[in-house]
Amino acid sequence: RPILETVHKFDCRAAVQLNHIGQDAASFYPISSVGGVSNRTGRTYHAAAGFQIRRVVRQFTNCALRAASVGFDAVEINASGRSFIASFLSPAVNTRRDVWGANQLGRFRLLLEVVRGCKKAVGPDKAVGVRFNLIDFSPKGAPWSEILRLIQMLRIAGADYFIGTAGGFDERVRGEALSLADFAALTNAIENLK
């Protein structure tokens, strides 16, 4: 709390990032949207069961509540890189056939539930941000139209701000780098969302 008090004394705001590292976790039973072997840890990770996914939603919500209760002004949900949530968002990775991935809305479901839970936990006076892979460097990655739809749905779910990152989920999906013109076009499309 002393750090937060000092930050607030200078009329600044403080946020904490919430993350579940998924397949790269140093745990007995690492989970992801689908099973496989991590090339970073060499460990087998498992496709999360429905009850495990619901527990992750509760864990994010509880962490957001705790962060708000000690004085953080915002929580940022990490759904980028190789995170657990990112593994659900990417159509190149998430090949599930259940409610957590059978279609576009299924792939969005986990992140939307986390955002709704966190926003409810922190209340209207605190911000909820989302960091996610804006560009998926994979031929099988999400097209821009899907990314824009996700952003619209996250706004409805209660997200107050976004931080977009560029890159694929992991080494299983390879793609080509995009030009600055591609990034500029996407930025303009996001700014024009209504």
Side-chain angles (χ1 to χ4, degrees):
R1 289 192 194 215
I3 293 172
L4 291 172
E5 290 170 4
T6 302
V7 167
H8 291 145
K9 184 170 35 174
F10 290 97
D11 197 29
C12 295
R13 303 294 172 256
V16 63
Q17 187 180 87
L18 309 179
N19 186 22
H20 185 302
I21 61 173
Q23 71 180 26
D24 295 327
S27 68
F28 174 71
Y29 196 85
I31 56 176
S32 185
S33 62
V34 296
V37 176
S38 171
N39 79 329
R40 294 195 180 171
T41 66
R43 299 183 62 184
T44 298
Y45 55 90
H46 309 275
F51 79 91
Q52 292 169 312
I53 297 167
R54 288 186 292 279
R55 183 173 57 208
V56 168
V57 173
R58 287 191 306 273
Q59 289 169 335
F60 270 92
T61 301
N62 289 337
C63 287
L65 180 61
R66 289 183 182 132
S69 72
V70 299
F72 280 98
D73 303 291
V75 294
E76 183 176 290
I77 300 159
N78 185 4
S80 67
R82 297 166 56 93
S83 73
F84 181 69
I85 297 175
S87 76
F88 281 82
L89 293 175
S90 175
V93 175
N94 185 350
T95 57
R96 296 175 72 106
R97 294 286 165 221
D98 61 6
V99 298
W100 302 100
N103 55 38
Q104 185 182 80
L105 293 177
R107 290 193 310 276
F108 293 174
R109 181 178 178 187
L110 172 59
L111 180 54
L112 291 169
E113 288 191 16
V114 168
V115 168
R116 280 192 286 273
C118 288
K119 191 60 179 179
K120 184 176 180 182
V122 303
D125 297 332
K126 308 274 185 182
V128 173
V130 178
R131 175 184 295 268
F132 67 103
N133 295 330
L134 188 61
I135 303 293
D136 194 352
F137 290 153
S138 168
K140 296 180 181 178
W144 288 4
S145 59
E146 184 169 315
I147 298 297
L148 294 174
R149 183 171 188 204
L150 174 61
I151 291 169
Q152 290 172 322
M153 293 179 79
L154 287 168
R155 289 173 66 185
I156 293 166
D160 297 296
Y161 71 88
F162 304 98
I163 296 177
T165 62
F169 174 76
D170 71 1
E171 63 283 345
R172 291 177 290 170
V173 291
R174 300 232 186 261
E176 298 175 12
L178 297 179
S179 70
L180 288 175
D182 293 328
F183 284 112
L186 183 58
T187 301
N188 287 334
I190 291 169
E191 288 175 354
N192 292 322
L193 286 176
K194 297 194 187 239

